[in-house]
Each structure stands twice: as C-alpha cells, then as structure tokens.
Amino acid sequence: MKIKFWGTAAGLAEKGRYCTSVLIEICENYYILDFGAPVEYLIANEGIDMSKIKAGFITHMHPDHVDSLTSFSKLYAQFTN
C-alpha cells in the first residue's frame, strides 16, 4: 500500500499546499480520500489511469474536503462511462 498526501492545508489552500486530499494505492488500484485539492489536475499530472480509481471517500462535507468533487465526478464519468 502507498499513501500520498496531495493536500494538507487546513481550511484554505496555501502557497505550495492544497486543501485536504489523499491518494491511496493498493495493488495497482487507487482510492481517493477527500477532494479538497485540485484532484483532476493531480490525476493528470501523475498520469493515473481513471479506470484504476475504484472509490472515493469523504470524511465530512466541509468545502476544504469536497471542493473538487464535482469536477472529479465529471472527469470520472467521461473516462469510465
């Protein structure tokens, strides 16, 4: 298992720090915990195959944990049918 912290800023993004988002890799499959960071940008930047993202989890509904959920959902739907 690999865990990558994409964003760790509290409340508002800061220079060099995105809001909360974590990428978890298990057996070449990916799981996303919270969507505060610009998740769609980070997925593209890391070259992640959208079909290998198996689930996303949200710890709570504060904006710094869900702001990228809508754009991620649209991207995910586009690439996975």
Tab-separated table of all heavy atoms in Angstrom, residues 31-66:
chain	number	residue	atom	x	y	z
A	31	TYR	N	-7.591	4.766	-4.602
A	31	TYR	CA	-8.705	5.224	-3.793
A	31	TYR	C	-8.381	6.647	-3.362
A	31	TYR	O	-7.228	6.946	-3.046
A	31	TYR	CB	-8.893	4.317	-2.572
A	31	TYR	CG	-9.086	2.873	-2.977
A	31	TYR	CD1	-7.978	2.046	-3.188
A	31	TYR	CD2	-10.356	2.355	-3.169
A	31	TYR	CE1	-8.144	0.731	-3.594
A	31	TYR	CE2	-10.518	1.032	-3.574
A	31	TYR	CZ	-9.409	0.230	-3.779
A	31	TYR	OH	-9.573	-1.067	-4.187
A	32	ILE	N	-9.386	7.504	-3.375
A	32	ILE	CA	-9.156	8.901	-3.006
A	32	ILE	C	-9.920	9.195	-1.730
A	32	ILE	O	-11.118	8.881	-1.619
A	32	ILE	CB	-9.596	9.842	-4.137
A	32	ILE	CG1	-8.787	9.543	-5.400
A	32	ILE	CG2	-9.421	11.299	-3.712
A	32	ILE	CD1	-9.258	10.292	-6.636
A	33	LEU	N	-9.233	9.780	-0.790
A	33	LEU	CA	-9.833	10.188	0.473
A	33	LEU	C	-9.885	11.709	0.494
A	33	LEU	O	-8.837	12.367	0.519
A	33	LEU	CB	-8.998	9.667	1.646
A	33	LEU	CG	-9.455	10.068	3.039
A	33	LEU	CD1	-10.843	9.502	3.331
A	33	LEU	CD2	-8.452	9.577	4.068
A	34	ASP	N	-11.068	12.250	0.413
A	34	ASP	CA	-11.352	13.683	0.371
A	34	ASP	C	-10.935	14.313	-0.957
A	34	ASP	O	-10.033	13.832	-1.636
A	34	ASP	CB	-10.726	14.438	1.544
A	34	ASP	CG	-11.455	14.154	2.847
A	34	ASP	OD1	-12.694	13.990	2.816
A	34	ASP	OD2	-10.803	14.104	3.908
A	35	PHE	N	-11.621	15.372	-1.317
A	35	PHE	CA	-11.465	16.006	-2.626
A	35	PHE	C	-11.241	17.503	-2.507
A	35	PHE	O	-11.801	18.294	-3.245
A	35	PHE	CB	-12.715	15.732	-3.484
A	35	PHE	CG	-12.850	14.293	-3.872
A	35	PHE	CD1	-13.396	13.371	-2.992
A	35	PHE	CD2	-12.422	13.851	-5.099
A	35	PHE	CE1	-13.516	12.035	-3.344
A	35	PHE	CE2	-12.537	12.517	-5.466
A	35	PHE	CZ	-13.091	11.610	-4.579
A	36	GLY	N	-10.398	17.918	-1.584
A	36	GLY	CA	-10.133	19.337	-1.405
A	36	GLY	C	-9.111	19.887	-2.384
A	36	GLY	O	-9.202	21.016	-2.833
A	37	ALA	N	-8.128	19.096	-2.704
A	37	ALA	CA	-7.091	19.509	-3.658
A	37	ALA	C	-7.676	19.520	-5.064
A	37	ALA	O	-8.738	18.945	-5.298
A	37	ALA	CB	-5.905	18.545	-3.588
A	38	PRO	N	-6.992	20.117	-6.028
A	38	PRO	CA	-7.483	20.031	-7.413
A	38	PRO	C	-7.216	18.621	-7.954
A	38	PRO	O	-6.265	18.373	-8.693
A	38	PRO	CB	-6.660	21.097	-8.145
A	38	PRO	CG	-5.391	21.190	-7.363
A	38	PRO	CD	-5.784	20.929	-5.934
A	39	VAL	N	-8.062	17.693	-7.525
A	39	VAL	CA	-7.849	16.272	-7.774
A	39	VAL	C	-7.688	15.955	-9.260
A	39	VAL	O	-6.800	15.193	-9.642
A	39	VAL	CB	-8.986	15.444	-7.135
A	39	VAL	CG1	-8.904	13.990	-7.542
A	39	VAL	CG2	-8.935	15.572	-5.626
A	40	GLU	N	-8.515	16.557	-10.110
A	40	GLU	CA	-8.433	16.245	-11.541
A	40	GLU	C	-7.076	16.654	-12.118
A	40	GLU	O	-6.502	15.963	-12.950
A	40	GLU	CB	-9.589	16.881	-12.314
A	40	GLU	CG	-9.615	18.391	-12.308
A	40	GLU	CD	-10.091	19.043	-11.014
A	40	GLU	OE1	-10.457	18.349	-10.057
A	40	GLU	OE2	-10.085	20.275	-10.977
A	41	TYR	N	-6.536	17.753	-11.654
A	41	TYR	CA	-5.204	18.200	-12.094
A	41	TYR	C	-4.135	17.221	-11.611
A	41	TYR	O	-3.235	16.845	-12.366
A	41	TYR	CB	-4.918	19.602	-11.549
A	41	TYR	CG	-3.458	19.987	-11.614
A	41	TYR	CD1	-2.880	20.392	-12.815
A	41	TYR	CD2	-2.642	19.902	-10.491
A	41	TYR	CE1	-1.536	20.723	-12.887
A	41	TYR	CE2	-1.300	20.223	-10.555
A	41	TYR	CZ	-0.756	20.634	-11.750
A	41	TYR	OH	0.574	20.947	-11.811
A	42	LEU	N	-4.215	16.804	-10.368
A	42	LEU	CA	-3.200	15.905	-9.813
A	42	LEU	C	-3.256	14.526	-10.466
A	42	LEU	O	-2.221	13.894	-10.672
A	42	LEU	CB	-3.367	15.815	-8.297
A	42	LEU	CG	-3.085	17.139	-7.580
A	42	LEU	CD1	-3.579	17.093	-6.147
A	42	LEU	CD2	-1.607	17.470	-7.630
A	43	ILE	N	-4.451	14.062	-10.804
A	43	ILE	CA	-4.577	12.787	-11.519
A	43	ILE	C	-3.873	12.872	-12.867
A	43	ILE	O	-3.097	11.988	-13.235
A	43	ILE	CB	-6.065	12.416	-11.705
A	43	ILE	CG1	-6.668	12.012	-10.361
A	43	ILE	CG2	-6.236	11.310	-12.741
A	43	ILE	CD1	-8.173	11.889	-10.388
A	44	ALA	N	-4.132	13.943	-13.606
A	44	ALA	CA	-3.487	14.130	-14.908
A	44	ALA	C	-1.983	14.295	-14.752
A	44	ALA	O	-1.206	13.718	-15.524
A	44	ALA	CB	-4.083	15.350	-15.609
A	45	ASN	N	-1.572	15.050	-13.759
A	45	ASN	CA	-0.154	15.317	-13.530
A	45	ASN	C	0.621	14.043	-13.204
A	45	ASN	O	1.773	13.899	-13.598
A	45	ASN	CB	0.007	16.338	-12.400
A	45	ASN	CG	1.398	16.900	-12.321
A	45	ASN	OD1	1.981	17.280	-13.326
A	45	ASN	ND2	1.929	16.963	-11.121
A	46	GLU	N	-0.016	13.111	-12.517
A	46	GLU	CA	0.649	11.859	-12.137
A	46	GLU	C	0.417	10.748	-13.150
A	46	GLU	O	0.940	9.656	-12.988
A	46	GLU	CB	0.185	11.441	-10.747
A	46	GLU	CG	0.536	12.495	-9.721
A	46	GLU	CD	0.817	11.948	-8.359
A	46	GLU	OE1	0.976	10.721	-8.212
A	46	GLU	OE2	0.899	12.760	-7.439
A	47	GLY	N	-0.380	11.014	-14.180
A	47	GLY	CA	-0.614	10.008	-15.217
A	47	GLY	C	-1.416	8.812	-14.743
A	47	GLY	O	-1.216	7.701	-15.222
A	48	ILE	N	-2.351	9.034	-13.848
A	48	ILE	CA	-3.149	7.937	-13.302
A	48	ILE	C	-4.255	7.563	-14.286
A	48	ILE	O	-4.974	8.417	-14.785
A	48	ILE	CB	-3.741	8.340	-11.934
A	48	ILE	CG1	-2.604	8.503	-10.920
A	48	ILE	CG2	-4.753	7.312	-11.449
A	48	ILE	CD1	-3.036	9.085	-9.598
A	49	ASP	N	-4.391	6.291	-14.546
A	49	ASP	CA	-5.446	5.759	-15.396
A	49	ASP	C	-6.759	5.831	-14.614
A	49	ASP	O	-6.904	5.209	-13.556
A	49	ASP	CB	-5.116	4.308	-15.763
A	49	ASP	CG	-6.150	3.647	-16.642
A	49	ASP	OD1	-7.240	4.204	-16.849
A	49	ASP	OD2	-5.847	2.536	-17.115
A	50	MET	N	-7.736	6.589	-15.123
A	50	MET	CA	-9.002	6.788	-14.416
A	50	MET	C	-9.723	5.479	-14.118
A	50	MET	O	-10.414	5.369	-13.116
A	50	MET	CB	-9.918	7.697	-15.237
A	50	MET	CG	-9.450	9.128	-15.352
A	50	MET	SD	-9.439	9.999	-13.781
A	50	MET	CE	-11.188	10.239	-13.535
A	51	SER	N	-9.553	4.472	-14.972
A	51	SER	CA	-10.238	3.200	-14.744
A	51	SER	C	-9.676	2.451	-13.534
A	51	SER	O	-10.294	1.506	-13.055
A	51	SER	CB	-10.167	2.318	-15.988
A	51	SER	OG	-8.840	1.886	-16.219
A	52	LYS	N	-8.537	2.879	-13.046
A	52	LYS	CA	-7.938	2.226	-11.873
A	52	LYS	C	-8.349	2.898	-10.560
A	52	LYS	O	-7.957	2.457	-9.497
A	52	LYS	CB	-6.431	2.187	-12.013
A	52	LYS	CG	-5.992	1.284	-13.150
A	52	LYS	CD	-4.542	0.983	-13.091
A	52	LYS	CE	-4.235	-0.005	-14.197
A	52	LYS	NZ	-3.315	-1.019	-13.758
A	53	ILE	N	-9.151	3.961	-10.660
A	53	ILE	CA	-9.685	4.584	-9.452
A	53	ILE	C	-10.954	3.829	-9.095
A	53	ILE	O	-11.934	3.843	-9.834
A	53	ILE	CB	-9.968	6.084	-9.665
A	53	ILE	CG1	-8.658	6.799	-9.989
A	53	ILE	CG2	-10.631	6.676	-8.421
A	53	ILE	CD1	-8.835	8.255	-10.368
A	54	LYS	N	-10.935	3.146	-7.971
A	54	LYS	CA	-12.023	2.249	-7.602
A	54	LYS	C	-13.051	2.873	-6.674
A	54	LYS	O	-14.197	2.449	-6.642
A	54	LYS	CB	-11.460	0.969	-6.969
A	54	LYS	CG	-10.521	0.216	-7.883
A	54	LYS	CD	-11.200	-0.134	-9.204
A	54	LYS	CE	-10.274	-0.860	-10.151
A	54	LYS	NZ	-10.835	-1.055	-11.470
A	55	ALA	N	-12.659	3.876	-5.886
A	55	ALA	CA	-13.611	4.501	-4.965
A	55	ALA	C	-13.055	5.811	-4.448
A	55	ALA	O	-11.847	6.043	-4.471
A	55	ALA	CB	-13.908	3.567	-3.794
A	56	GLY	N	-13.963	6.640	-3.992
A	56	GLY	CA	-13.601	7.882	-3.328
A	56	GLY	C	-14.367	7.967	-2.022
A	56	GLY	O	-15.516	7.496	-1.930
A	57	PHE	N	-13.756	8.545	-1.024
A	57	PHE	CA	-14.366	8.643	0.297
A	57	PHE	C	-14.268	10.083	0.786
A	57	PHE	O	-13.267	10.750	0.542
A	57	PHE	CB	-13.645	7.721	1.287
A	57	PHE	CG	-13.627	6.287	0.850
A	57	PHE	CD1	-12.552	5.793	0.129
A	57	PHE	CD2	-14.684	5.432	1.131
A	57	PHE	CE1	-12.518	4.468	-0.288
A	57	PHE	CE2	-14.665	4.114	0.712
A	57	PHE	CZ	-13.575	3.626	-0.002
A	58	ILE	N	-15.289	10.525	1.463
A	58	ILE	CA	-15.306	11.874	2.016
A	58	ILE	C	-15.471	11.761	3.527
A	58	ILE	O	-16.420	11.128	4.008
A	58	ILE	CB	-16.453	12.700	1.405
A	58	ILE	CG1	-16.252	12.807	-0.098
A	58	ILE	CG2	-16.545	14.064	2.060
A	58	ILE	CD1	-17.433	13.390	-0.826
A	59	THR	N	-14.554	12.380	4.255
A	59	THR	CA	-14.614	12.295	5.713
A	59	THR	C	-15.707	13.181	6.293
A	59	THR	O	-16.350	12.815	7.267
A	59	THR	CB	-13.266	12.665	6.357
A	59	THR	OG1	-12.907	13.997	5.961
A	59	THR	CG2	-12.193	11.678	5.951
A	60	HIS	N	-15.923	14.353	5.687
A	60	HIS	CA	-17.004	15.247	6.093
A	60	HIS	C	-17.186	16.307	5.015
A	60	HIS	O	-16.351	16.448	4.133
A	60	HIS	CB	-16.755	15.861	7.474
A	60	HIS	CG	-15.499	16.663	7.584
A	60	HIS	ND1	-14.246	16.090	7.701
A	60	HIS	CD2	-15.310	18.000	7.602
A	60	HIS	CE1	-13.338	17.058	7.780
A	60	HIS	NE2	-13.956	18.224	7.715
A	61	MET	N	-18.270	17.066	5.097
A	61	MET	CA	-18.685	17.922	3.982
A	61	MET	C	-18.174	19.361	4.057
A	61	MET	O	-18.750	20.246	3.448
A	61	MET	CB	-20.215	17.916	3.880
A	61	MET	CG	-20.790	16.569	3.468
A	61	MET	SD	-20.163	15.960	1.887
A	61	MET	CE	-20.878	17.135	0.761
A	62	HIS	N	-17.083	19.632	4.727
A	62	HIS	CA	-16.506	20.977	4.699
A	62	HIS	C	-15.926	21.236	3.306
A	62	HIS	O	-15.399	20.314	2.662
A	62	HIS	CB	-15.408	21.130	5.738
A	62	HIS	CG	-15.919	21.218	7.132
A	62	HIS	ND1	-15.105	21.079	8.221
A	62	HIS	CD2	-17.163	21.437	7.638
A	62	HIS	CE1	-15.818	21.199	9.323
A	62	HIS	NE2	-17.076	21.417	8.991
A	63	PRO	N	-16.010	22.480	2.834
A	63	PRO	CA	-15.514	22.792	1.481
A	63	PRO	C	-14.070	22.388	1.225
A	63	PRO	O	-13.739	21.969	0.117
A	63	PRO	CB	-15.684	24.312	1.389
A	63	PRO	CG	-16.769	24.630	2.346
A	63	PRO	CD	-16.615	23.643	3.472
A	64	ASP	N	-13.215	22.484	2.231
A	64	ASP	CA	-11.818	22.131	2.010
A	64	ASP	C	-11.611	20.623	1.853
A	64	ASP	O	-10.504	20.169	1.593
A	64	ASP	CB	-10.919	22.693	3.119
A	64	ASP	CG	-11.282	22.194	4.499
A	64	ASP	OD1	-12.492	22.125	4.812
A	64	ASP	OD2	-10.365	21.886	5.277
A	65	HIS	N	-12.687	19.843	1.958
A	65	HIS	CA	-12.619	18.399	1.751
A	65	HIS	C	-13.421	17.941	0.537
A	65	HIS	O	-13.311	16.786	0.138
A	65	HIS	CB	-13.129	17.660	2.991
A	65	HIS	CG	-12.231	17.787	4.166
A	65	HIS	ND1	-11.422	16.768	4.595
A	65	HIS	CD2	-11.983	18.839	4.984
A	65	HIS	CE1	-10.721	17.182	5.652
A	65	HIS	NE2	-11.058	18.438	5.898
A	66	VAL	N	-14.238	18.839	-0.044
A	66	VAL	CA	-15.115	18.417	-1.151
A	66	VAL	C	-15.093	19.331	-2.374
A	66	VAL	O	-15.797	19.063	-3.349
A	66	VAL	CB	-16.586	18.250	-0.679
A	66	VAL	CG1	-16.697	17.178	0.375
A	66	VAL	CG2	-17.160	19.566	-0.206
